[in-house]
Amino acid sequence: MSKVLEELVKINTVCDKDNEKMRNYIKKLLAKKKFEFLEYGEGREKVLLLKRGEAKVMFCCHTDTVDGSKLWTKDIFKVTEDDNYYFGLGVSDMKGGIAALLEAVLLLPDDVFCMICFTYDEERGFSGVKKLIKEKVEVPNIIIFPEPTDLYPVVANKGCLEYKVEFYGKSAHSSVPMLGDNALYKAMSFIEEVKKFSKELEKEKVSIYDVSYTTFNLSRIWGGEEINKVPDYCEVTFDFRTIKRTHNIKIKEKVDLLVKKYNASMQILNNIDAVMTTDKEVITKIERIVGKKVKGLNYATEASFFPDKQIIILGPGPITAHQIDEKISKDSFIKCQELYKDILLEM
């Protein structure tokens, strides 16, 4: 079993709880590998950056995980194994990828140029990568993200636009609903218009994604108090997973108009653009190294915050992020180490 993977899973980084412990472990592990260690931020909310030489590639890793549910059958902070798999919280997303990278770096000579970034708060608000960008850190043109991809090279991920919209009305007794103003009806009409608009967006396709169009999902409706009362308030949340940056712009324009139409108020919870590698030479090289054709991801990653860079998302599998008894295969973990070594040596 990988000792590095064991140690990473032991550290509780749910909501970045032991982020400092994680950073200290990484610094101690690589203390003799001639890296310059830089940190940005305060307290447990710090980005750790490792630099060695004039690197052409940076690995960008988030150390936080989601929490494990009560339905887990295994110890979430301990790596357990069977004949084929490693189990533990974060082994897929993304401590397995981080461990494979650290193992690869330990095996490579110290004269191999390398840059590695460890961020925080990827699972909730992307605060860590935003901090890195705010600090105006110079990074290489090619950035690798060890997210779980089942060892498929990914060169695009969708954007994400998340909303909370609040509707207001006037309460009245349900026996005389005409004296009230039903906030739920406003919300229903609003959602129907958003759905109709989303169908227009679906006509545009980008074939690299498994779901080749921009998707819309209504995730929550909350409102009303009593069955015999006209509700005067309703709240809805929804998101779009976008195939291109221009869709984010179109969606914002449309939702702004509808919010005004229904006298509602809104909050944009996340606005992240889609991103795609455009350098054909980079695509050709990663396909040769990995031995597979490139793909796109249907969800957003930290890669979206580097629109002017060439991004590659590559990590072990199977993809069991956020699932009960999260796992990766042993074969995939070993192969991932080899691929990271090849990338550092060749790219």
Side-chain angles (χ1 to χ4, degrees):
M1 184 185 292
S2 165
K3 181 65 175 176
V4 175
L5 182 59
E6 278 189 289
E7 292 302 318
L8 294 182
V9 172
K10 277 183 189 177
I11 302 171
N12 179 358
T13 52
V14 176
C15 299
D16 302 297
K17 183 178 185 295
D18 289 330
N19 180 281
E20 184 176 2
K21 188 175 180 180
M22 173 67 79
R23 297 194 313 271
N24 288 338
Y25 171 74
I26 293 167
K27 287 187 287 186
K28 184 178 179 181
L29 182 71
L30 300 182
K32 297 181 180 179
K33 298 301 287 183
K34 299 183 179 178
F35 280 101
E36 178 184 3
F37 297 101
L38 302 168
E39 292 186 320
Y40 305 92
E42 296 180 359
R44 69 183 184 185
E45 293 187 342
K46 280 186 179 178
V47 174
L48 173 63
L49 186 71
L50 283 60
K51 295 172 65 177
R52 189 172 67 193
E54 297 298 319
K56 303 295 185 184
V57 172
M58 180 178 83
F59 280 81
C60 186
C61 317
H62 71 84
T63 58
D64 60 317
T65 71
V66 297
D67 204 350
S69 78
K70 294 179 180 179
L71 298 179
W72 272 66
T73 65
K74 310 199 182 280
D75 187 336
I76 63 174
F77 295 122
K78 181 180 178 181
V79 176
T80 55
E81 62 180 311
D82 61 16
D83 290 343
N84 300 309
Y85 297 100
Y86 293 128
F87 301 85
L89 186 65
V91 293
S92 175
D93 186 15
M94 61 168 22
K95 290 182 178 180
I98 294 174
L101 173 61
L102 294 174
E103 298 267 20
V105 170
L106 287 170
L107 293 172
L108 285 170
D110 294 349
D111 60 355
V112 175
F113 294 166
C114 186
M115 182 181 287
I116 311 172
C117 175
F118 297 94
T119 66
Y120 59 90
D121 187 40
E122 188 271 351
E123 297 293 359
R124 292 172 178 258
F126 295 99
S127 301
V129 69
K130 289 176 183 176
K131 178 65 177 175
L132 181 72
I133 291 166
K134 187 178 179 181
E135 294 289 335
K136 297 181 180 179
V137 177
E138 260 191 60
V139 300
N141 187 49
I142 300 172
I143 306 178
I144 317 289
F145 301 83
E147 295 278 2
T149 66
D150 207 13
L151 298 183
Y152 278 91
V154 170
V155 295
N157 71 227
K158 286 189 177 183
C160 177
L161 191 49
E162 297 175 330
Y163 278 96
K164 179 175 80 171
V165 181
E166 297 173 291
F167 301 88
Y168 310 97
K170 179 183 176 183
S171 61
H173 196 279
S174 64
S175 63
V176 282
M178 70 291 297
L179 299 181
D181 183 16
N182 196 312
L184 295 184
Y185 289 162
K186 292 181 179 180
M188 290 165 61
S189 297
F190 173 91
I191 291 299
E192 283 304 314
E193 292 204 55
V194 174
K195 282 176 63 180
K196 184 178 179 181
F197 168 72
S198 73
K199 294 298 179 184
E200 291 299 312
L201 293 180
E202 287 180 13
K203 293 176 182 178
E204 291 188 66
K205 314 283 187 183
V206 174
S207 60
I208 197 169
Y209 298 111
D210 291 334
V211 181
S212 61
Y213 52 88
T214 290
T215 59
F216 164 72
N217 179 60
L218 174 65
S219 56
R220 183 174 184 265
I221 300 177
W222 182 86
E225 297 168 328
E226 305 290 344
I227 195 170
N228 60 351
K229 182 180 178 181
V230 175
D232 59 7
Y233 176 83
C234 182
E235 174 186 306
V236 301
T237 58
F238 56 90
D239 76 358
F240 289 86
R241 301 295 172 143
T242 55
I243 57 172
K244 54 179 69 174
R245 299 179 200 176
T246 54
H247 278 200
N248 287 53
I249 296 169
K250 289 180 180 179
I251 292 164
K252 287 176 65 180
E253 290 173 347
K254 182 65 174 180
V255 172
D256 283 349
L257 288 173
L258 291 175
V259 165
K260 290 178 182 177
K261 177 179 177 179
Y262 290 97
N263 294 316
S265 64
M266 72 163 186
Q267 180 182 353
I268 297 177
L269 304 176
N270 261 312
N271 182 15
I272 301 167
D273 287 326
V275 66
M276 185 178 296
T277 290
T278 55
D279 189 323
K280 292 182 180 178
E281 184 179 341
V282 171
I283 292 172
T284 300
K285 187 170 284 189
I286 195 64
E287 286 183 334
R288 177 181 58 79
I289 291 172
V290 179
K292 295 177 181 177
K293 290 290 184 182
V294 295
K295 298 175 65 174
L297 288 181
N298 294 320
Y299 48 85
T301 73
E302 288 179 323
S304 287
F305 293 88
F306 300 92
D308 300 321
K309 303 296 182 180
Q310 306 305 308
I311 62 100
I312 299 166
I313 306 167
L314 177 68
I319 303 170
T320 59
H322 304 192
Q323 294 182 19
I324 298 164
D325 294 343
E326 191 175 347
K327 66 183 179 182
I328 54 171
S329 76
K330 295 178 178 180
D331 288 345
S332 178
F333 179 74
I334 294 168
K335 179 63 176 175
C336 194
Q337 290 180 44
E338 295 168 357
L339 291 175
Y340 290 161
K341 282 192 290 183
D342 291 343
I343 288 169
L344 286 168
L345 290 170
E346 295 191 41
M347 298 188 75

